Amino acid sequence: SAMSFTLFYMAVSIPIQILLGFGLALILNEITALKRFFISLYLVPYIVTPVVGTLAISWLFKDRGFITWLLSLMGVNIQWYADATAARGLLIGYGIWGAVPFIMLMLYAGLQAMPTDPIEAAIMDGATWWQRVRFVMIPYLRPIFIFIAMVNIMDAYRLFDSVAVMTQGGPGNATATIMYYTYSVAFEEQLLGR
């Protein structure tokens, strides 16, 4: 189950992280006013240490947490840590929140380094904004996308701190990852040498 959740986490979170990061990088590339403010705002999840960020998010979603309370006012009652689907969604959401600033920053830097000639040629040829993104920007940024995907695959494989702080692998073993399972076998079950 730890292997299947780790693979599921990778398959769901990494594409969403890349799409959101690329979207934010495109928006940041287009705006001119308050650019420094938005960069600072986007980098907040990247600045916060993982354990502190995980604690803050987990407190918001506890049984008497702020988000749970707001949802209960609207008639939505979710047991975030008792339901396997909700706990997995919470971990995936936190993973997305933590990884998107790095991706946005990398892709924004790639967009800033991109030569203007191909974009100007596409505009002269009558390409729409979407065609410029699809046929000019994305091929130019392909090496950065590959680098980001590889880094995020490694990060998803070694996911431990969020699981240990937020769900402790529960409910049951629904959110146990490979690293958390290795830790629990070695140190909780005292089977370190086997």
Side-chain angles (χ1 to χ4, degrees), residues 116-129 132 136:
T116 57
D117 296 341
I119 298 289
E120 291 171 0
I123 291 171
M124 295 294 284
D125 289 340
T128 63
W129 178 83
R132 290 192 305 265
V136 180

Side-chain angles (χ1 to χ4, degrees), residues 13-66:
S13 67
I14 293 172
I16 295 172
Q17 291 168 359
I18 292 173
L19 286 173
L20 282 175
F22 185 54
L24 289 173
L26 287 174
I27 291 169
L28 199 58
N29 196 42
E30 295 294 323
I31 63 172
T32 54
L34 300 173
K35 187 176 285 201
R36 290 182 183 166
F37 171 74
F38 286 113
I39 290 173
S40 303
L41 183 67
Y42 291 149
L43 290 179
V44 167
Y46 197 63
I47 294 168
V48 174
T49 58
V51 172
V52 172
T54 305
L55 280 172
I57 296 295
S58 65
W59 288 336
L60 290 173
F61 288 93
K62 293 272 185 199
D63 289 339
R64 294 188 176 145
F66 184 69

Side-chain angles (χ1 to χ4, degrees), residues 8-174:
F8 176 76
Y9 180 87
M10 286 180 191
V12 172
S13 67
I14 293 172
I16 295 172
Q17 291 168 359
I18 292 173
L19 286 173
L20 282 175
F22 185 54
L24 289 173
L26 287 174
I27 291 169
L28 199 58
N29 196 42
E30 295 294 323
I31 63 172
T32 54
L34 300 173
K35 187 176 285 201
R36 290 182 183 166
F37 171 74
F38 286 113
I39 290 173
S40 303
L41 183 67
Y42 291 149
L43 290 179
V44 167
Y46 197 63
I47 294 168
V48 174
T49 58
V51 172
V52 172
T54 305
L55 280 172
I57 296 295
S58 65
W59 288 336
L60 290 173
F61 288 93
K62 293 272 185 199
D63 289 339
R64 294 188 176 145
F66 184 69
I67 302 292
T68 307
W69 174 73
L70 281 178
L71 290 173
S72 69
L73 291 178
M74 295 183 275
V76 178
N77 293 312
I78 299 173
Q79 300 282 326
W80 293 101
Y81 299 103
D83 181 46
T85 306
R88 287 178 175 177
L90 198 57
L91 277 173
I92 290 169
Y94 175 73
I96 291 168
W97 177 78
V100 165
F102 169 73
I103 296 168
M104 180 221 45
L105 199 59
M106 293 292 294
L107 291 172
Y108 175 67
L111 288 171
Q112 291 295 301
M114 185 175 179
T116 57
D117 296 341
I119 298 289
E120 291 171 0
I123 291 171
M124 295 294 284
D125 289 340
T128 63
W129 178 83
W130 172 246
Q131 289 171 331
R132 290 192 305 265
V133 169
R134 184 175 173 204
F135 296 113
V136 180
M137 292 179 191
I138 291 177
Y140 179 79
L141 297 172
R142 185 174 293 133
I144 299 173
F145 280 116
I146 293 170
F147 172 76
I148 288 169
M150 297 305 294
V151 167
N152 284 355
I153 287 170
M154 290 185 288
D155 282 347
Y157 177 77
R158 62 183 179 85
L159 178 68
F160 172 78
D161 50 359
S162 304
V163 175
V165 172
M166 196 178 294
T167 64
Q168 294 84 39
N173 283 329

